[in-house]
Amino acid sequence: METIFRQDSYAARCDATVVGSDERGVMLDRTVCYPTGGGQPGDTGVLRHGGAGLRITDTIKGDGPDTVIHVLEPGTAAPAPGEPVVVELDWDRRFAHMRMHTCLHLLCALVPGAVTGGQIGTDKSRLDFNVPSGSLDKDDLTAALNRLVDGDHAVRYRWIDDAELGASPDLVRTMSVKPPTGTGKVRLVEIDGVDLQPCGGTHVARTGEIGRVEVVKIENKGKQNRRVVVALAT
């Protein structure tokens, strides 16, 4: 299927055709909905079919690397295969995820340790780092993040193949989440002059779109595990 969100995070709606459904939800030939993965929640929205607006309560990965399932409200009858539909995102929620996800890339660039976990939310998000206790300062990280936001660095996507990624293991910062491989190519997210790493999520086009942020908490989660919680201030 055509995963529009991988090329254009700002696409908020698209025309599509139903290709199938099962107890999990509806599969389409193309979609703007991001499926849960890499710490980022799946999109929600509306599937418009005829005069009806069917609520999409979640989006999840299907059986194949590019298969996306649109989860409908319980009791909702799925459109039949071949039916035309329109997919519309809950845009405010998606845009918050884009801002937060890009912010976590900035945080990753600032902390010199492997990422052991993470979760993206609409107002708060977190990354866990394999670094010693006392090595991170909340105020210093807040100031550094906002300097990178104010720098309004461009955010771009580029692609390499699986073999190129295998030859450059230093690109992978995450210990808990594997890069999105399996299709023969891997998308890199490049924040100009700041960060470069494989990632399949959605991001803003410039760091200035993130807005002011604040590191609200740093927690010890183990001998070498520090949880950094970041919130959108605006």
Side-chain angles (χ1 to χ4, degrees), residues 138-203:
K138 185 170 65 172
D139 293 336
D140 288 348
L141 277 178
T142 294
L145 281 171
N146 283 304
R147 282 195 295 271
L148 292 175
V149 169
D150 291 342
D152 199 27
H153 300 269
V155 182
R156 306 183 183 92
Y157 299 148
R158 56 189 175 95
W159 298 83
I160 60 175
D161 60 34
D162 290 348
E164 289 176 285
L165 180 64
S168 303
D170 55 310
L171 287 174
V172 181
R173 290 287 308 277
T174 58
M175 298 170 63
S176 60
V177 178
K178 293 182 179 181
T181 59
T183 62
K185 59 181 182 178
V186 178
R187 195 187 70 178
L188 300 181
V189 176
E190 180 178 15
I191 302 178
D192 193 23
V194 179
D195 188 55
L196 176 67
Q197 60 178 293
C199 181
T202 61
H203 309 81

Side-chain angles (χ1 to χ4, degrees), residues 222-233:
K223 186 177 180 181
Q224 291 279 110
N225 200 44
R226 306 293 162 256
R227 175 165 295 175
V228 181
V229 182
V230 183
L232 297 174

Side-chain angles (χ1 to χ4, degrees), residues 45-61:
V46 175
L47 190 68
R48 301 207 177 276
H49 171 241
L54 311 179
R55 185 73 190 154
I56 300 170
T57 60
D58 197 4
T59 308
I60 60 175
K61 294 179 180 178

